[in-house]
Amino acid sequence: MSVEIHPDAVARLRGFKLPEQLGFGDVMAPVMFRAVFDGSRWKAGELLPYGPISLDPAAKVLHYAQSCFEGLKVYRDGDSVSLFRPQRNAARMIYSAARLSMPAIPEALFIEGVSTIASYCAALVPAKSGESLYLRPFLIGTQAQLGVTASQSYEFYVIASPSGAYHMGNMRLWIERESARSAIGGTGDAKVGGNYASSLRSIAGLEARGFDQVLWLNPGDKHTIDELSGMNFFAVIEGDLHTPALNGSFLDGITRDSLLTLAQDLGLKVFEHAMDVEELLQSVKSGSCSEAFACGTAAIISPISELGDGDTRLKLPSAPGPVAERLRGALLDIQEGRVEDRFGWMQRLPAIVFDCSLEL
Ligand code: COI
């Protein structure tokens, strides 16, 4: 399928000025990709000027949360740009969509959407290490009808945000013992908006209590560690790397998977298993846990400096620790093109550059 490029989208790109200060997800690229599913087939995608979406107030997404999304980044690569493992994001979006009875977005259409935005927004990819153009593909049910049934029509979008890292510096985690972000047999391992909505109440007010993020436990046993909101969890115990094994209630992170490969390549022993939170706390107290960190596409690697459990606060010996730093360096070296991509993770794309405020 060929993408229809709207002339106003090109005009918007020409006039765009990238702000000097970038937070995470604050600045939006002036264009977006859209493809429509009309009940029987996906129509050709379009590159449009960024702007509000017109939805009927009875659209299924607004009532029954038929909505899933992805996150991936565009990196500079000399005169080109590149994407990191976009097929993994496509596969996960197909999985998330199926969990919500939404149609599969064909891999080719997903790749076309993210590649079109990446190529056209090449000049918006920030140059500093650790910064990038963050892409947010999402799929929503648009049919206007209030019955609790799957929508007949859908829209797929890709928007982009020139961004810094999601979390800068060390994170203080609070262990959530009461509430859960997902349920056994629920949608915890799908990237759906509802999982994030249900995490917000626990996150609210954390800062006032001196914490940054919640550490979620498995909703079934309330003992094993699942994930943070939007990030996977790792700990270094007696020099080995430990992470919770995938169990259906948290997300199969692409950064998580990549770090497991890189860690083994660097000669570390890696353990994916059910991690009991009491054992983790004990290993921090005894000093056998030397560091812990979280990872995700947006966050890359964020060191954990402290764990809070009720009234108890435990400090980790080093944050960032040496393992987190080595892994972060190894991952960014591949993503930012400083070393050979031995795993075949990067996908190079032509840069289409307009006369906007940044030059490649
Ligand atoms: C990502 O890392 O891409 C995520 O989706 C996490 C997020 C919700 C900021």
Side-chain angles (χ1 to χ4, degrees):
M1 281 200 270
S2 64
V3 181
E4 190 190 324
I5 309 295
H6 199 286
D8 289 353
V10 174
R12 291 273 212 99
L13 281 163
R14 283 190 205 285
F16 188 75
K17 300 257 177 294
L18 193 68
E20 299 236 326
Q21 291 302 320
L22 299 170
F24 172 77
D26 297 332
V27 177
M28 296 301 156
V31 291
M32 61 188 186
F33 177 90
R34 179 179 69 185
V36 173
F37 182 81
D38 66 4
S40 57
R41 66 183 184 95
W42 284 99
K43 296 188 184 166
E46 309 157 89
L47 186 71
L48 300 169
Y50 182 92
I53 295 174
S54 169
L55 276 180
D56 191 291
K60 301 267 188 191
V61 62
L62 299 177
H63 304 270
Y64 309 127
Q66 263 197 311
S67 150
C68 62
F69 71 94
E70 276 300 318
L72 68 166
K73 286 177 171 175
V74 187
Y75 302 88
R76 278 174 182 273
D77 193 357
D79 286 344
S80 337
V81 287
S82 52
L83 292 170
F84 182 72
R85 308 184 75 183
Q87 281 80 9
R88 286 286 298 233
N89 295 92
R92 195 168 60 186
M93 183 165 250
I94 291 170
Y95 178 82
S96 302
R99 182 63 185 81
L100 299 185
S101 290
M102 302 163 91
I105 167 109
E107 183 191 275
L109 180 59
F110 182 96
I111 298 294
E112 183 177 69
V114 293
S115 305
T116 303
I117 291 282
S119 286
Y120 275 85
C121 295
L124 276 59
V125 180
K128 266 194 237 151
S129 177
E131 295 187 345
S132 58
L133 181 67
Y134 179 80
L135 303 188
R136 173 54 65 89
F138 62 98
L139 175 63
I140 53 174
T142 53
Q143 186 192 359
Q145 202 277 326
L146 293 179
V148 185
T149 54
S151 177
Q152 297 291 309
S153 55
Y154 293 86
E155 291 186 10
F156 169 65
Y157 288 87
V158 185
I159 57 172
S161 174
S163 289
Y166 183 39
H167 277 281
M168 303 295 264
N170 296 337
M171 290 189 300
R172 299 155 301 174
L173 301 193
W174 181 68
I175 299 168
E176 172 60 272
R177 298 268 186 183
E178 298 295 326
S179 179
R181 66 173 276 286
S182 68
I184 297 295
T187 57
D189 65 348
K191 205 160 174 66
V192 304
N195 294 344
Y196 296 83
S198 68
S199 75
L200 296 178
R201 190 181 62 177
S202 296
I203 295 170
L206 275 188
E207 211 175 301
R209 291 188 281 128
F211 294 101
D212 304 297
Q213 284 286 322
V214 167
L215 182 62
W216 295 99
L217 302 180
N218 183 270
D221 62 29
K222 296 275 178 82
H223 266 286
T224 50
I225 296 169
D226 268 359
E227 62 155 60
L228 283 73
S229 307
M231 285 172 262
N232 290 114
F233 179 82
F234 281 87
V236 179
I237 302 171
E238 287 171 358
D240 302 326
L241 192 61
H242 293 253
T243 197
L246 300 176
N247 60 14
S249 77
F250 69 91
L251 205 72
D252 179 1
I254 296 163
T255 307
R256 172 189 180 279
D257 180 77
S258 309
L259 292 184
L260 288 172
T261 301
L262 285 175
Q264 280 164 303
D265 192 58
L266 291 171
L268 286 165
K269 265 203 214 148
V270 166
F271 295 95
E272 286 180 77
H273 61 120
M275 290 182 73
D276 192 295
V277 73
E278 315 306 338
E279 285 174 20
L280 176 76
L281 292 169
Q282 198 44 48
S283 68
V284 175
K285 280 186 199 146
S286 72
S288 63
C289 175
S290 53
E291 58 179 292
F293 57 88
C295 73
T297 297
I300 315 175
I301 287 185
S302 294
I304 296 165
S305 58
E306 213 172 310
L307 290 172
D309 186 25
D311 294 333
T312 311
R313 298 182 79 126
L314 289 177
K315 284 210 188 308
L316 273 295
S318 63
V323 173
E325 292 212 294
R326 266 177 92 197
L327 287 173
R328 188 175 197 276
L331 182 64
L332 283 176
D333 279 349
I334 294 175
Q335 292 175 328
E336 295 175 353
R338 285 183 291 276
V339 299
E340 188 199 340
D341 171 22
R342 287 187 291 117
F343 305 102
W345 286 340
M346 303 308 292
Q347 216 157 89
R348 249 177 158 204
L349 301 163
I352 302 172
V353 181
F354 299 96
D355 182 20
C356 57
S357 66
L358 261 189
E359 295 293 326
L360 275 177

